[in-house]
Amino acid sequence: MPEATAARRFTLQEYKTDQHVDWCPGCGDFGILSSIQQAFYQLQIPPHRVAMISGIGCSGKTPHYVDTYGLHTLHGRALPVATGAKLANHELTVVAVGGDGDGYGIGAGYFLNSGRRNLDITYIVFNNGVYGLTKGQASPTLAKGLRTKSMPEPSIQEGINPIAVALGAGYTWIGRGDALDVKHLVSLIVEAIRHRGTSFLDVFQTCPVYNDLRTKEWYAGQDIGRARLQRLDQDPSWDPQVKQPDDLAEVVQKKVRALQASYETGDRLSVGVFYKIALPTYEDQMAEKVPALKDHPLVDLPLDQRDIEGLLRSFE
Ligand code: SF4
């Protein structure tokens, strides 16, 4: 594929495949897909410099629809595969995608441990509160007491707070968007990809087929007479950036404020950037140990056949 040059820019169409998008009509996934494609277009990242990695679920189909390299992997395994792709070629822009069941349920261990590594990757979660692909069972984010139309009884488990978990896990950029506000979501994805380190973006996503509670109208706040989603950046005092990463008091203060914002529920839900901090990436630290990685990604380093044979013999 060609590189973007001053004379030739990639078109938005070049980030789209010719595959039929088979999500249900009205699904919030369409807004997220469009936002990802528009973000790549705004950033003018050559499509062949991007790897999209997904798990299993309706959102797992996303790499099929974005004309970059992509891998549709196993349930809950998007993050470890994305980690491997980035370690093999740190020059790639790596974006992992998946649903809330995929990432916060079966992939929960990877969600935690990816936060503390700080590889320069982006993780986008399509959060609709249900397992849509398997007909609407409650996912880890469905709040206690809610009963969607495919559930026989209301949930008797608490829903998790993904922003709070990400703060504790150590993600260095944490945000939340809305699939129905594409303009804002594009800006969040652009910022998440630009951030050097692991970015985590939770996205409220409507599933009109199985989640009849968290609907477009509910997010719009029709029942309370005003918008339920409030943008953090509309508060002049809101500043998610840690200025002195070595200052533990400031880090804690920013995390506590982000935590409080993430727990606003019911009549107000915050969207925007909750927290960001500049810290050395995993790749930076690896390059200190293996200086050749400063000039070349691992995939370009010459293989020493003798070393590999010796390594293999050690397992005999
Ligand atoms: Fe979207 Fe729900 Fe249909 Fe899946 S089941 S494609 S999440 S509307």
Side-chain angles (χ1 to χ4, degrees), residues 61-109:
K61 301 172 187 172
T62 307
H64 299 252
Y65 309 139
V66 185
D67 201 1
T68 62
Y69 286 110
L71 207 53
H72 188 166
T73 71
L74 303 177
H75 206 188
R77 270 59 175 183
L79 281 169
V81 176
T83 298
K86 189 70 181 184
L87 288 176
N89 188 350
H90 63 254
E91 293 179 350
L92 285 177
T93 296
V94 177
V95 177
V97 293
D100 43 316
D102 186 70
Y104 309 148
I106 192 167

